Amino acid sequence: MGRVKLKRPEKSILLTGLRGVGKTVLLIEIERLAQADGYRTILIEAHEDKRLATLLAPHLRRLLFDLDRIKAAGDKVRRGISVLKSFISGFKVSYGDLEFSLDIEPEKGTADSGDLEIDLPNLFVAVGEAAEERQVAVAIMIDEIQYFTASELSALIMAMHRLQQRQLPLVLIGAGLPILPGLAGESKSYAERLFNFPDVGALSEADATKALQDPVKAMGVEFELAALKEIVRLTKGYPYFIQEWGYQAWNHAPDTPITLEITQQASKLVQERLDHNFFRVRFDRLTPREKDYLRAMAELGAGPYRTGDIADILGTKITALGPVRASLIKKGMIYSPEHGDMAFTVPLFDEFMRRTMPRFQSKRKKKTARKKN
Ligand SMILES: Nc1ncnc2c1ncn2[C@@H]1O[C@H](COP(=O)(O)OP(=O)(O)OP(=O)(O)O)[C@@H](O)[C@H]1O
Ligand SMILES: [Mg+2]
């Protein structure tokens, strides 16, 4: 961020990882650090059925109006506002509260073609130039970035490419499920050059232990070593689960130290709570066919899974499963870590699927059984 502020070339960052590993927590922390360093920030969360242009426009409007208040010579901010106005007309963003000061006309012919891959780079450059003129740096933070369509992602990538060529003080920090495997051709190779993709994952045993032990120590309490080991084993180091286990173990313990026995008693509560909340809310959004697909995955263990193996278990062809696979990806339940592979986005979801649908019949097993007869 220091380099971007000095208009030196630097890659933007997309934090990627599974559900509940702490991406949003990190994004908010990065925003805090950026603000402390004088950055103007925008934080938006992408959504299954909201378009990038609609999400971005109100925030850029606020940003440009903020920049307008910084007194300095020049007309780049006014130009930014007028480019944004024309961008909004190109994408028919209808926002009741998107009233602009009336004395600025849209800049006709800039960022209003309606083709996001052309308009977004133009808009970002106008915003970047406005920021440069007022001598501030801008960070655009986008959470749940996987919900953007391939063409929206490609437009974002093109926009960052243009900014980097001009070395304007604007950086993009994103977070979400892994997106690189879903990108194709040119945008993939651009993305690899323009962004770092730090992988946010489970904590190491040492870090998980520290995450549990430090907060209770601060209160004069300790976990027994065996209790810590048990929680690390059950959570596999996933931050959200550590949070839940730590919470219940703490509430359940009458005294210090928190023992293995207390932890085991708490485990039952945690499992129930997770099944009823964390896992269940996701499960309940699925159609019966989608549930079967996920259950077939779970049949194969912890994954990742070959799409062909999943089809085998369901006793059907890979191609016949295209639509259900696509809708599960759209719902953010599964993703493709590599071509031909599928994986759950929620840690330990395979265990939940086996628990919640215990009487699942693999068609593959039936077939081989018939052959034997
Ligand atoms: N640094 C941290 N300190 C304390 N708790 C944390 C930390 N990081 C993660 N957690 C715990 O993990 C939970 C999930 O974190 P977060 O919401 O950031 O995950 P995420 O990766 O954004 O998940 P999703 O993909 O579902 O949005 C938090 O609500 C919190 O309980
Ligand atoms: Mg999140």
Side-chain angles (χ1 to χ4, degrees), residues 277-313:
N277 303 303
F278 188 71
F279 293 124
R280 195 85 214 176
V281 289
R282 296 183 154 91
F283 185 79
D284 286 344
R285 296 173 62 220
L286 305 171
T287 66
R289 270 177 62 95
E290 289 168 350
K291 287 176 185 169
D292 278 346
Y293 190 92
L294 297 186
R295 183 60 183 83
M297 285 169 64
E299 193 66 11
L300 292 160
Y305 317 92
R306 305 290 305 166
T307 43
D309 292 344
I310 302 167
D312 265 1
I313 297 265

Side-chain angles (χ1 to χ4, degrees), residues 18-25 27 45 143-144 175-176:
L18 302 185
R19 293 284 175 207
V21 290
K23 299 182 296 294
T24 302
V25 169
L27 200 63
E45 187 182 326
D143 203 0
E144 303 282 355

Side-chain angles (χ1 to χ4, degrees), residues 72-206:
D75 54 11
K76 291 288 196 321
V77 174
R78 298 254 138 180
R79 172 162 187 268
I81 294 172
S82 104
V83 171
L84 177 62
K85 250 184 158 175
S86 78
F87 177 82
I88 286 168
S89 72
F91 289 93
K92 301 179 182 62
V93 175
S94 55
Y95 251 86
D97 58 355
L98 268 186
E99 289 296 316
F100 282 85
S101 59
L102 295 170
D103 59 331
I104 296 180
E105 289 295 317
E107 186 174 301
K108 291 243 163 58
T110 308
D112 61 358
S113 74
D115 179 347
L116 197 64
E117 288 184 32
I118 296 169
D119 294 348
L120 197 68
N122 285 334
L123 176 61
F124 272 29
V125 166
V127 172
E129 285 176 347
E132 183 184 39
E133 183 188 87
R134 301 296 148 110
Q135 296 185 1
V136 297
V138 170
I140 299 182
M141 336 274 300
I142 306 183
D143 203 0
E144 303 282 355
I145 199 150
Q146 77 282 352
Y147 282 133
F148 289 137
T149 63
S151 71
E152 287 173 331
L153 283 172
S154 144
L156 262 185
I157 291 161
M158 296 306 157
M160 294 316 293
H161 183 52
R162 284 275 297 283
L163 283 167
Q164 215 198 31
Q165 283 172 334
R166 309 213 174 182
Q167 305 199 353
L168 292 168
L170 192 157
V171 67
L172 181 72
I173 313 278
L177 302 173
I179 54 158
L180 251 191
L183 295 175
E186 219 174 54
S187 28
K188 184 165 187 160
S189 74
Y190 272 129
E192 281 166 340
R193 273 184 288 143
L194 292 168
F195 294 94
N196 283 316
F197 290 90
D199 184 26
V200 186
L203 300 183
S204 66
E205 181 163 356

